[in-house]
Every structure is written in structure tokens, then in C-alpha cells.
Amino acid sequence: MNKKWLYKEIGMIDDDLIESVAYIEKTQKNNLKKWIGLVACICIFISLSSTVYAVEYLKNQSTELYIRYLSPENMELTPGIEYDADKFFDALKSDKEEYVYIAINRLVECFNDEVLREKAIKKITPFIKSEQEKIAQAAMFAVDILSQSYQSENIYKLSDGSLIFMLFNNYSDYGSHNVLWRIKDNVLEQYIAFPEPFMYITDIIPSPDHSLLAVKMASNKSEFIVIIDIINGKISPELVGTARGVYGAQKGVNVPMRIDNENYCSINSVEWITNDRLSFNSMLTYNNAETAENVTVDYEFTNKSIAIQINN
């Protein structure tokens, strides 16, 4: 529609004003184009600046080594059937921090070979000064084990003189690797490797007489706990799942077993009451985790008896 015609039809302005309006509109369009161009340039500049800033930010954020979960394949670095120390010595030269970190922990397995143990101590020691905190901590722990100093707080001494520890201590936000190692009579062995969903060991609590260990574990969804008599080679059932089943039966609640063995429960306040009796608080979930009961669980290892009390 012609704007001059419209203005005349509604009888509000004359021809001179129509021409003036047309001129103003033309001027405004030209000015608008200039402003649009200027704004576009500013936006491009801001976008480029933001991109540079984001790249720098991500670069800084990626300086800390982070590993969420170590699978057996990850820990081999390259596929192999038997333990190969040379593979891990070579990995210490890698520019990949993850490889270096894995190699340092795996070289602890050289413990039983005196020649390889001395070589591992020599090769790992420089990494104690690494700027990467996880690598430095791993190196200190590995040297502590290999040099037979045993000063780390992550080494648990049992009443029979044997030593229990984990490798990859606190490597993830969730905890440490899910394998317990034992040194007895100066020989290192892998004592137990927990299956899924016990993916991480989050804490180890020795009994007062150091004859039993309460081992707290976690997946990405649940928490678990077992008691191990390493000296006599015995282990309790998983106590959170056991308590959940017993308490559910007492309350007449159906407690189906999940295929993945997840329980969606939590644990806190783990404490040895006696050398044989463990107590802990747990949030037991039911009905697909829609309801939860806050309880205290007492378990006597020798008698295999469990008592559950609801917390008000």
C-alpha cells in the first residue's frame, strides 16, 4: 500500500508533510543500516573475545587430572595377558598424565621382585615433586610401599602383622580403587577385588584390636559395607542390603532384588562398638527409592546377628 495515498485518505496531513515524512523515513533507514553495521561489528568483537576467554578458561580448568572410574582395560594401558613391568616403566615417559598416574600405581606390583622394586623406586621418586597433585601423591605412596617404610595413613596394619592397602587412593570423587592388597611375610598379593556395583572403596575402619576391617564401598548410586576377617579368610554379607531386607520383612514391605544389586541407600557414622560388633546409620530405601527409613544397624560378626532400630 502507497503511504502517500494512505495519509491523504485519512485527511490528517498535507503534501509537504508527506514529503517531509518520506525524507525522514529515508534518513532513518540509512541511519538504521549504519547502526546495524556498527552493532554487528561489536557483536563479532564480543563473540571473538568470549571465545578466546572460554578457551583460556577451559585450558585452566583441564590442568587438574581427573579420572572418574578405572576399568581393568584402562589400567593395562595397552592390552596384555600378564603383568609387564617394562610397559609401565615406558609409560612413565608418556606425555599423558593419566598414563603416568596409572603406571606409578601399577609399578607397586613390582614389590616381590627385588631388582624391579629398586628400579621402580628410582624411576618413581622424581614424580614426588610433580606439580600434578594426584601424581605426586601416588608417587609418595608407591615409594612408601616399595621402600618398605609403611608410613602412609592409607596402610592398615592387622594384628597378625600383615598390611592392607589400596592403590589409586582417592583417584575419583567417589573414592579409591576397589581392590585390597596384602603384604604378609614380605610378600605382596592381591587379596580381594570387589565386583560391581562395589566400584569404589570409600573408607576402611579397623576394629579396635585390628583383627577385622569394615570396608565401606560405593557405586555412583549406592553405598555398601562389609566386614572382612582377612586373617582367617572370612567375610560378612553386604550389610546395607541385608539390613534393608530384614527391616522390610519386619515391616511387611516387599523388597525385590535388583539385577544390578544397587540399593540407593546411604551410610554414615560407622563405629566399632566392640572388637566384633559394628554399628552404623543408614538411610534404607523402599518402593523404588520413593520412601526411606533412617535406621541404626548393629551387626555382630562372629554370631552373624543383625539388629535394626529406627531413628526418630
PDB file of all heavy atoms in Angstrom, residues 172-190:
ATOM      1  N   SER A 172      39.204 -40.911  42.423  1.00  0.00           N
ATOM      2  CA  SER A 172      37.943 -40.376  41.908  1.00  0.00           C
ATOM      3  C   SER A 172      37.238 -39.583  42.994  1.00  0.00           C
ATOM      4  O   SER A 172      37.565 -39.701  44.182  1.00  0.00           O
ATOM      5  CB  SER A 172      37.047 -41.528  41.456  1.00  0.00           C
ATOM      6  OG  SER A 172      35.729 -41.096  41.200  1.00  0.00           O
ATOM      7  N   ASP A 173      36.243 -38.788  42.594  1.00  0.00           N
ATOM      8  CA  ASP A 173      35.397 -38.109  43.575  1.00  0.00           C
ATOM      9  C   ASP A 173      34.687 -39.130  44.468  1.00  0.00           C
ATOM     10  O   ASP A 173      34.290 -38.812  45.584  1.00  0.00           O
ATOM     11  CB  ASP A 173      34.333 -37.253  42.867  1.00  0.00           C
ATOM     12  CG  ASP A 173      34.956 -36.110  42.095  1.00  0.00           C
ATOM     13  OD1 ASP A 173      36.095 -35.733  42.422  1.00  0.00           O
ATOM     14  OD2 ASP A 173      34.313 -35.603  41.161  1.00  0.00           O
ATOM     15  N   TYR A 174      34.518 -40.342  43.951  1.00  0.00           N
ATOM     16  CA  TYR A 174      33.764 -41.357  44.681  1.00  0.00           C
ATOM     17  C   TYR A 174      34.629 -42.136  45.669  1.00  0.00           C
ATOM     18  O   TYR A 174      34.122 -42.676  46.647  1.00  0.00           O
ATOM     19  CB  TYR A 174      33.105 -42.330  43.702  1.00  0.00           C
ATOM     20  CG  TYR A 174      32.080 -41.675  42.823  1.00  0.00           C
ATOM     21  CD1 TYR A 174      32.412 -41.185  41.566  1.00  0.00           C
ATOM     22  CD2 TYR A 174      30.762 -41.537  43.249  1.00  0.00           C
ATOM     23  CE1 TYR A 174      31.455 -40.575  40.750  1.00  0.00           C
ATOM     24  CE2 TYR A 174      29.805 -40.929  42.437  1.00  0.00           C
ATOM     25  CZ  TYR A 174      30.170 -40.459  41.195  1.00  0.00           C
ATOM     26  OH  TYR A 174      29.227 -39.847  40.395  1.00  0.00           O
ATOM     27  N   GLY A 175      35.910 -42.255  45.431  1.00  0.00           N
ATOM     28  CA  GLY A 175      36.767 -42.998  46.348  1.00  0.00           C
ATOM     29  C   GLY A 175      37.980 -43.600  45.673  1.00  0.00           C
ATOM     30  O   GLY A 175      38.486 -43.085  44.675  1.00  0.00           O
ATOM     31  N   SER A 176      38.461 -44.723  46.241  1.00  0.00           N
ATOM     32  CA  SER A 176      39.672 -45.389  45.771  1.00  0.00           C
ATOM     33  C   SER A 176      39.316 -46.626  44.952  1.00  0.00           C
ATOM     34  O   SER A 176      38.160 -47.042  44.885  1.00  0.00           O
ATOM     35  CB  SER A 176      40.540 -45.792  46.969  1.00  0.00           C
ATOM     36  OG  SER A 176      40.841 -44.666  47.779  1.00  0.00           O
ATOM     37  N   HIS A 177      40.343 -47.228  44.355  1.00  0.00           N
ATOM     38  CA  HIS A 177      40.118 -48.421  43.549  1.00  0.00           C
ATOM     39  C   HIS A 177      39.578 -49.556  44.416  1.00  0.00           C
ATOM     40  O   HIS A 177      39.868 -49.638  45.608  1.00  0.00           O
ATOM     41  CB  HIS A 177      41.433 -48.833  42.877  1.00  0.00           C
ATOM     42  CG  HIS A 177      41.246 -49.816  41.781  1.00  0.00           C
ATOM     43  ND1 HIS A 177      41.960 -50.980  41.685  1.00  0.00           N
ATOM     44  CD2 HIS A 177      40.390 -49.814  40.723  1.00  0.00           C
ATOM     45  CE1 HIS A 177      41.577 -51.651  40.616  1.00  0.00           C
ATOM     46  NE2 HIS A 177      40.620 -50.969  40.012  1.00  0.00           N
ATOM     47  N   ASN A 178      38.790 -50.435  43.828  1.00  0.00           N
ATOM     48  CA  ASN A 178      38.046 -51.444  44.605  1.00  0.00           C
ATOM     49  C   ASN A 178      38.798 -52.761  44.779  1.00  0.00           C
ATOM     50  O   ASN A 178      38.196 -53.833  44.775  1.00  0.00           O
ATOM     51  CB  ASN A 178      36.674 -51.694  43.960  1.00  0.00           C
ATOM     52  CG  ASN A 178      36.798 -52.273  42.551  1.00  0.00           C
ATOM     53  OD1 ASN A 178      37.859 -52.249  41.955  1.00  0.00           O
ATOM     54  ND2 ASN A 178      35.697 -52.792  42.025  1.00  0.00           N
ATOM     55  N   VAL A 179      40.106 -52.671  44.960  1.00  0.00           N
ATOM     56  CA  VAL A 179      40.938 -53.851  45.189  1.00  0.00           C
ATOM     57  C   VAL A 179      41.731 -53.666  46.480  1.00  0.00           C
ATOM     58  O   VAL A 179      42.303 -52.600  46.715  1.00  0.00           O
ATOM     59  CB  VAL A 179      41.917 -54.088  44.017  1.00  0.00           C
ATOM     60  CG1 VAL A 179      42.867 -55.248  44.329  1.00  0.00           C
ATOM     61  CG2 VAL A 179      41.154 -54.364  42.730  1.00  0.00           C
ATOM     62  N   LEU A 180      41.745 -54.702  47.321  1.00  0.00           N
ATOM     63  CA  LEU A 180      42.573 -54.691  48.526  1.00  0.00           C
ATOM     64  C   LEU A 180      43.835 -55.518  48.269  1.00  0.00           C
ATOM     65  O   LEU A 180      43.763 -56.654  47.772  1.00  0.00           O
ATOM     66  CB  LEU A 180      41.816 -55.289  49.715  1.00  0.00           C
ATOM     67  CG  LEU A 180      40.657 -54.470  50.288  1.00  0.00           C
ATOM     68  CD1 LEU A 180      40.053 -55.199  51.494  1.00  0.00           C
ATOM     69  CD2 LEU A 180      41.108 -53.075  50.701  1.00  0.00           C
ATOM     70  N   TRP A 181      44.993 -54.918  48.615  1.00  0.00           N
ATOM     71  CA  TRP A 181      46.278 -55.591  48.504  1.00  0.00           C
ATOM     72  C   TRP A 181      46.779 -55.943  49.899  1.00  0.00           C
ATOM     73  O   TRP A 181      46.538 -55.215  50.868  1.00  0.00           O
ATOM     74  CB  TRP A 181      47.291 -54.699  47.784  1.00  0.00           C
ATOM     75  CG  TRP A 181      46.957 -54.482  46.334  1.00  0.00           C
ATOM     76  CD1 TRP A 181      46.118 -53.544  45.814  1.00  0.00           C
ATOM     77  CD2 TRP A 181      47.452 -55.227  45.234  1.00  0.00           C
ATOM     78  NE1 TRP A 181      46.045 -53.659  44.448  1.00  0.00           N
ATOM     79  CE2 TRP A 181      46.865 -54.683  44.063  1.00  0.00           C
ATOM     80  CE3 TRP A 181      48.347 -56.300  45.111  1.00  0.00           C
ATOM     81  CZ2 TRP A 181      47.142 -55.180  42.796  1.00  0.00           C
ATOM     82  CZ3 TRP A 181      48.635 -56.790  43.847  1.00  0.00           C
ATOM     83  CH2 TRP A 181      48.030 -56.238  42.699  1.00  0.00           C
ATOM     84  N   ARG A 182      47.521 -57.042  49.998  1.00  0.00           N
ATOM     85  CA  ARG A 182      48.029 -57.503  51.288  1.00  0.00           C
ATOM     86  C   ARG A 182      49.521 -57.812  51.190  1.00  0.00           C
ATOM     87  O   ARG A 182      49.972 -58.446  50.224  1.00  0.00           O
ATOM     88  CB  ARG A 182      47.288 -58.767  51.727  1.00  0.00           C
ATOM     89  CG  ARG A 182      47.668 -59.278  53.111  1.00  0.00           C
ATOM     90  CD  ARG A 182      47.038 -60.635  53.364  1.00  0.00           C
ATOM     91  NE  ARG A 182      47.087 -61.019  54.765  1.00  0.00           N
ATOM     92  CZ  ARG A 182      46.781 -62.230  55.215  1.00  0.00           C
ATOM     93  NH1 ARG A 182      46.406 -63.174  54.361  1.00  0.00           N
ATOM     94  NH2 ARG A 182      46.838 -62.508  56.505  1.00  0.00           N
ATOM     95  N   ILE A 183      50.262 -57.357  52.178  1.00  0.00           N
ATOM     96  CA  ILE A 183      51.660 -57.761  52.332  1.00  0.00           C
ATOM     97  C   ILE A 183      51.754 -58.590  53.606  1.00  0.00           C
ATOM     98  O   ILE A 183      51.475 -58.095  54.701  1.00  0.00           O
ATOM     99  CB  ILE A 183      52.609 -56.547  52.415  1.00  0.00           C
ATOM    100  CG1 ILE A 183      52.578 -55.750  51.114  1.00  0.00           C
ATOM    101  CG2 ILE A 183      54.040 -57.011  52.715  1.00  0.00           C
ATOM    102  CD1 ILE A 183      53.422 -54.484  51.151  1.00  0.00           C
ATOM    103  N   LYS A 184      52.134 -59.831  53.440  1.00  0.00           N
ATOM    104  CA  LYS A 184      52.316 -60.730  54.583  1.00  0.00           C
ATOM    105  C   LYS A 184      53.611 -61.504  54.383  1.00  0.00           C
ATOM    106  O   LYS A 184      53.850 -62.038  53.295  1.00  0.00           O
ATOM    107  CB  LYS A 184      51.144 -61.712  54.722  1.00  0.00           C
ATOM    108  CG  LYS A 184      51.254 -62.597  55.958  1.00  0.00           C
ATOM    109  CD  LYS A 184      50.089 -63.569  56.051  1.00  0.00           C
ATOM    110  CE  LYS A 184      50.233 -64.433  57.308  1.00  0.00           C
ATOM    111  NZ  LYS A 184      49.153 -65.441  57.406  1.00  0.00           N
ATOM    112  N   ASP A 185      54.428 -61.555  55.432  1.00  0.00           N
ATOM    113  CA  ASP A 185      55.738 -62.220  55.361  1.00  0.00           C
ATOM    114  C   ASP A 185      56.548 -61.664  54.194  1.00  0.00           C
ATOM    115  O   ASP A 185      57.230 -62.413  53.470  1.00  0.00           O
ATOM    116  CB  ASP A 185      55.559 -63.738  55.224  1.00  0.00           C
ATOM    117  CG  ASP A 185      54.817 -64.345  56.408  1.00  0.00           C
ATOM    118  OD1 ASP A 185      54.981 -63.823  57.526  1.00  0.00           O
ATOM    119  OD2 ASP A 185      54.059 -65.315  56.190  1.00  0.00           O
ATOM    120  N   ASN A 186      56.411 -60.344  54.005  1.00  0.00           N
ATOM    121  CA  ASN A 186      57.165 -59.612  52.988  1.00  0.00           C
ATOM    122  C   ASN A 186      56.836 -60.042  51.549  1.00  0.00           C
ATOM    123  O   ASN A 186      57.648 -59.895  50.635  1.00  0.00           O
ATOM    124  CB  ASN A 186      58.679 -59.749  53.216  1.00  0.00           C
ATOM    125  CG  ASN A 186      59.448 -58.561  52.665  1.00  0.00           C
ATOM    126  OD1 ASN A 186      58.964 -57.432  52.684  1.00  0.00           O
ATOM    127  ND2 ASN A 186      60.648 -58.815  52.148  1.00  0.00           N
ATOM    128  N   VAL A 187      55.617 -60.544  51.361  1.00  0.00           N
ATOM    129  CA  VAL A 187      55.154 -60.927  50.024  1.00  0.00           C
ATOM    130  C   VAL A 187      53.857 -60.173  49.732  1.00  0.00           C
ATOM    131  O   VAL A 187      52.932 -60.170  50.552  1.00  0.00           O
ATOM    132  CB  VAL A 187      54.919 -62.445  49.926  1.00  0.00           C
ATOM    133  CG1 VAL A 187      54.320 -62.797  48.560  1.00  0.00           C
ATOM    134  CG2 VAL A 187      56.226 -63.201  50.138  1.00  0.00           C
ATOM    135  N   LEU A 188      53.810 -59.552  48.553  1.00  0.00           N
ATOM    136  CA  LEU A 188      52.624 -58.801  48.133  1.00  0.00           C
ATOM    137  C   LEU A 188      51.680 -59.710  47.354  1.00  0.00           C
ATOM    138  O   LEU A 188      52.108 -60.470  46.481  1.00  0.00           O
ATOM    139  CB  LEU A 188      53.031 -57.616  47.251  1.00  0.00           C
ATOM    140  CG  LEU A 188      51.887 -56.815  46.611  1.00  0.00           C
ATOM    141  CD1 LEU A 188      51.088 -56.066  47.670  1.00  0.00           C
ATOM    142  CD2 LEU A 188      52.428 -55.846  45.557  1.00  0.00           C
ATOM    143  N   GLU A 189      50.382 -59.609  47.665  1.00  0.00           N
ATOM    144  CA  GLU A 189      49.380 -60.334  46.894  1.00  0.00           C
ATOM    145  C   GLU A 189      48.115 -59.481  46.774  1.00  0.00           C
ATOM    146  O   GLU A 189      47.830 -58.647  47.637  1.00  0.00           O
ATOM    147  CB  GLU A 189      49.024 -61.659  47.570  1.00  0.00           C
ATOM    148  CG  GLU A 189      48.353 -61.500  48.923  1.00  0.00           C
ATOM    149  CD  GLU A 189      47.836 -62.801  49.486  1.00  0.00           C
ATOM    150  OE1 GLU A 189      47.738 -63.784  48.724  1.00  0.00           O
ATOM    151  OE2 GLU A 189      47.515 -62.838  50.686  1.00  0.00           O
ATOM    152  N   GLN A 190      47.396 -59.678  45.704  1.00  0.00           N
ATOM    153  CA  GLN A 190      46.076 -59.067  45.570  1.00  0.00           C
ATOM    154  C   GLN A 190      45.117 -59.908  46.383  1.00  0.00           C
ATOM    155  O   GLN A 190      44.840 -61.053  46.030  1.00  0.00           O
ATOM    156  CB  GLN A 190      45.645 -59.009  44.109  1.00  0.00           C
ATOM    157  CG  GLN A 190      44.335 -58.265  43.895  1.00  0.00           C
ATOM    158  CD  GLN A 190      43.865 -58.306  42.451  1.00  0.00           C
ATOM    159  OE1 GLN A 190      42.905 -58.992  42.119  1.00  0.00           O
ATOM    160  NE2 GLN A 190      44.545 -57.574  41.595  1.00  0.00           N
TER     161      GLN A 190
END
